[in-house]
Amino acid sequence: MTKTSWQKLGEYLHETQLLGSIYNTLYWDQNTSMPSGAATWRGEQISLLAKSLHARQCSAEFVDLIQGARQELETEIVPPTNLNNEKLKNLELLELESNRQKRLDSKLVVQLAKAQTDGYALWQRAKATNSFKQFAPALKRLIHLRQEQAKQLNESRSIWETLAQPYEPDLTIQRLNELFQPLRDRLPEMIFQARDSMSRQPFTWDFKETSQKKLCNLLLSEWGRDEKITCLARSPHPFSITLGPQDFRLTTRIVAGQPFSCFLATAHEWGHSLYEQGLPLQNHHWFAWPLGQATSMGVHESQSLFWENRVARSQAFSDRFWKNFVKEGAPFRSGLDCWRAMNPLSPGLNRVEADELSYGLHILIRTDLEIALLQEDLDVLDLPSEWNARYEKLLGVMPMNDSEGCLQDVHWSEGSFGYFPSYLLGHLISAQLSESMSSWLASQGVQSEDPIGECIKEGKELKLLSWLRSKVHHYGRKVNAEQLVQEVTGQALTSHPFLNYLETKLNILTSTF
Amino acid sequence: MTKTSWQKLGEYLHETQLLGSIYNTLYWDQNTSMPSGAATWRGEQISLLAKSLHARQCSAEFVDLIQGARQELETEIVPPTNLNNEKLKNLELLELESNRQKRLDSKLVVQLAKAQTDGYALWQRAKATNSFKQFAPALKRLIHLRQEQAKQLNESRSIWETLAQPYEPDLTIQRLNELFQPLRDRLPEMIFQARDSMSRQPFTWDFKETSQKKLCNLLLSEWGRDEKITCLARSPHPFSITLGPQDFRLTTRIVAGQPFSCFLATAHEWGHSLYEQGLPLQNHHWFAWPLGQATSMGVHESQSLFWENRVARSQAFSDRFWKNFVKEGAPFRSGLDCWRAMNPLSPGLNRVEADELSYGLHILIRTDLEIALLQEDLDVLDLPSEWNARYEKLLGVMPMNDSEGCLQDVHWSEGSFGYFPSYLLGHLISAQLSESMSSWLASQGVQSEDPIGECIKEGKELKLLSWLRSKVHHYGRKVNAEQLVQEVTGQALTSHPFLNYLETKLNILTSTF
């Protein structure tokens, strides 16, 4: 029997997925097991695979297969079934990506790859020596090349918007401003309120390494971890990665002096992993197709933030779980002690370590600045002073040097512009989805002002997961982030649920002091 | 500047090596981190890489590159320098392998791959159910296909010899008989002597997991481990693997009730790794070329056995190290207690768990039987009874069932014939090299009847390593195993040093009871 074009395209995608997952395995190993001296050789292995992946994604064969599948689908008498609509959506996404690739000059691709490597190396040195000037020429070059890239892509979008598409499909600056303006208005006062009424952490203690490990494993086993398809390891920076349809890996790290860092990173990465586990992957007709993939970084982040902030940092979770912490040495006398320890609200200079209240402001500053750099003629050399002025104004803190300031994040050094807003969109999406989840739980008979908290208190987090599975995860790329929120909640995305959530939490938390 | 054929060949080999080391990374991950449910997808990843590696090794491009390099080398005015001789040796080995590949019918290659997969699956089932009959048809098929393979290879060697070449280049059955006959004659009496005078282990205790880990790390750090290029992990079966010119991995395992299993497996695998670390690898002109590879499995095994048996199981090592074991809970009152506990001499049915005295007999039985199966018409169905009869005669023990008997090893289930003798050759080579090492140490002023033991007692194992580095490791495939022994020791390989070593050890050990 001869294969249909559709089948051939599927086989092509399957092999690309195999190669991609081998690439991911090298990345996983590099961050969890590889000795440092092996870096050069690993770099060569990774380049080889990247080259071959890139070649597959740009090949004439691939373009032909997509066209063949399109023709086949259009000449068939196609009833508009669900399956056929999904087929069309898959093709549309493949064509979109293929057209993007085609429009790019291969010379530019090579120049960008080199500028990214150089940028990363220079950024590392500049950060170590507190010298933004060392990094400035590389950043200028990256901005220039990315502007050029946007020009070649020639979309009916601004430069920044064009570059943000791979992370957040269909996002516009106008929409972002609508979504973020209420945060810009409201967050600084809330931070002020928190600072005014919350004291610093009363406890200083730390967990032993074996305790950290035990607590993380306990958490994951309560949250339904299947050891047959998951693996938890340690790495310098926590991450979550999928290596196959039944192979989900996550990492955490231990930070001395920050007893909850490891535990909360595990909760966060587990949220990412659960989303991937819930995608239409294994034994599904869309595995290795676009519809089997995560729809946006914002949605991804909404899932990790849900499990980290909405669940693990909730009062209900502390009330249930605090004795486990005490067994491993935490000096809590009550769930409340634990809850306060897990929720320090104090604005700082560092995005990664920021609390839920101030996190958004870190993102607003970065988003404004990268839009200014890419399409509003902000001079690279003015970046440090602009950065510092905004921190002082919005957060009331001022970096002592550029390493604490505009050099703190890796993103720009690799030429990634347009990524930062996804972090904050994740907070918004998580909050709005949580409201729908609460209504659903209430309709299922969970009697409480806070039905999510009620489930957590009873150790029934799997009920929350099953809602996410059936309502959120399964879409893959069938809808974009905003469409997903509209589908699930029946409302357009706004920042109100997030602000309401923060206000409620802040009020209860500050009233306990 | 245009590249020479030689350079192009080098680049081709380099890329093959990159792919091969990616393949090895997947294997490493599979055995150290991968969750069990991921096995199917990993199998697909591995097949994809294996296919592409095989294609590179058989490609017309590769054959042309080798021929081009040969012509280039021959038309140059070549003085017989060391470098040029090495170039010629590299080409010779590449041509040898390429010619082997060319002679094989691709249909047979596919049939063999399938028979190996089937054989392994059937063997697992047969072993679990103690039913050799379930496995017999698969074994018959494998023997038939391997006989066919030897026929196609058409070397001036017997079938078994042809199949043994990849493990032990230039080995003949006649030579093997010469080497092994003294063992056949002498080992049974020695076992009898040991059984007569040695009691069973007086101690029963076990180390905790954390203690096992601590002891292994202590051992490796005393033995000069460089953490920048090595990684130790756990896996179901211990192994050592090289993932790059600066990336050496080894694994060990913990066996409940066998307190030294983990420690000695670490010593053993570290020996393998040291050999690989000492090969002309990184920044060397023969990296990725044949001369940068291990010359034979026997030589490889000689290096692991040296560190396991000659060093870690020596009386001197126990005398120095026993207090570390006591700190972790071992009930020793002296180094002698420790030495006896690390050297139980008692013949059993299992090769992997065999002591130094009886190990050789396990190999003799397997070697005889696989030669009989492949070229002396031994019927597969008679294998169990032949196996059992030989065990009773040589070792004085009799399997209760085939799982303890002829089904215990994986090798034949994957169609690997000709591998077993390498284990025993490793013992012989290790012993003969040790004699030369001793003479050299004596000539360097180490005053003792047992200069190796003297170094160990003083914690100067790195002195032993530096001798192995400068005398043994650097050859790569420039010489075969027997040539290596001749070069290093000035004598042809014999079994006398091994028998002498065993007799001395046995006499001292039994006199302590």
Side-chain angles (χ1 to χ4, degrees), chain A residues 112-127:
Chain A
L112 245 173
K114 168 118 180 52
Q116 286 169 325
T117 314
D118 293 350
Y120 180 71
L122 277 169
W123 167 76
Q124 283 187 307
R125 243 176 291 159
K127 196 175 173 186

Side-chain angles (χ1 to χ4, degrees), chain B residues 313-328:
Chain B
R313 280 195 217 258
S314 70
Q315 188 167 15
F317 185 83
S318 281
D319 282 345
R320 182 181 107 230
F321 209 84
W322 71 280
K323 286 183 183 160
N324 293 316
F325 293 129
V326 169
K327 255 188 243 160
E328 302 302 328

